[in-house]
Amino acid sequence: MDKKLVLIREPEDQQTLGKLYVLENNSYSRVTRKFDTLELPWIDNKQFISCIPAGLYKCKKIHSKTFGWCIDITHVEGRYDVRIHFGNYKRNTKGCILAGNGVADIDKDGLRDVLYSKDAMSQLNSLLPEEFFIEIL
């Protein structure tokens, strides 16, 4: 059974929120799970300060010393070490995608944060094969 991720972004001035869908058989009618995401705002695809461009990317599960099991997004032009990993706050990402279950302003800085991120990453890793694609809209 083929699985694919689709990320639908909701850009804001200071950050980018989104909804991440797990699709079965690459079908929009077969959404098996939905997660919330947090990224940096679009700043011309600059390493460490911008979200990545919209597009279709190959992904693979990897183990990171910092984040444990996470998802590596490969072949992002002009970028390296782009991942989907745990983290709750904008300051936890340097151009990666943070996954969570819910959003709220946890640290009261006026920006929405993702909730239950470690749980979301555990769920994502259990749902996905070793390699798959993500489509970012």
Side-chain angles (χ1 to χ4, degrees):
M1 193 177 304
D2 290 328
K3 292 202 179 184
K4 174 182 171 181
L5 294 178
V6 173
L7 174 58
I8 300 175
R9 289 175 165 162
E10 303 166 8
E12 298 180 352
D13 289 340
Q14 297 182 50
Q15 63 186 17
T16 302
L17 296 173
K19 301 290 183 197
L20 182 66
Y21 299 92
V22 179
L23 307 182
E24 283 193 31
N25 298 327
N26 294 320
S27 171
Y28 285 89
S29 64
R30 299 282 317 246
V31 174
T32 59
R33 189 73 170 77
K34 178 185 77 155
F35 298 90
D36 296 286
T37 63
L38 174 62
E39 301 174 78
L40 294 172
W42 174 253
I43 305 176
D44 299 322
N45 194 34
K46 292 183 180 174
Q47 181 76 21
F48 305 123
I49 63 168
S50 176
C51 61
I52 65 173
L56 183 66
Y57 300 97
K58 187 173 183 180
C59 298
K60 61 183 177 180
K61 292 187 204 178
I62 63 165
H63 192 271
S64 154
K65 290 180 187 176
T66 306
F67 301 109
W69 285 103
C70 59
I71 297 166
D72 188 47
I73 302 173
T74 64
H75 307 294
V76 178
E77 189 174 335
R79 302 285 287 274
Y80 61 91
D81 290 340
V82 178
R83 303 201 168 122
I84 301 173
H85 61 77
F86 73 82
N88 299 99
Y89 312 105
K90 178 183 169 185
R91 64 182 171 269
N92 296 140
T93 180
K94 301 287 188 259
C96 295
I97 299 169
L98 306 179
N101 289 313
V103 294
D105 185 1
I106 304 169
D107 59 357
K108 307 298 182 213
D109 66 353
L111 299 173
R112 290 181 288 171
D113 312 302
V114 291
L115 307 172
Y116 309 108
S117 188
K118 286 186 179 181
D119 290 341
M121 283 308 305
S122 177
Q123 292 164 13
L124 266 172
N125 279 307
S126 70
L127 288 168
L128 295 168
E130 292 302 311
E131 293 187 352
F132 54 93
F133 286 91
I134 184 170
E135 183 176 8
I136 301 175
L137 306 174

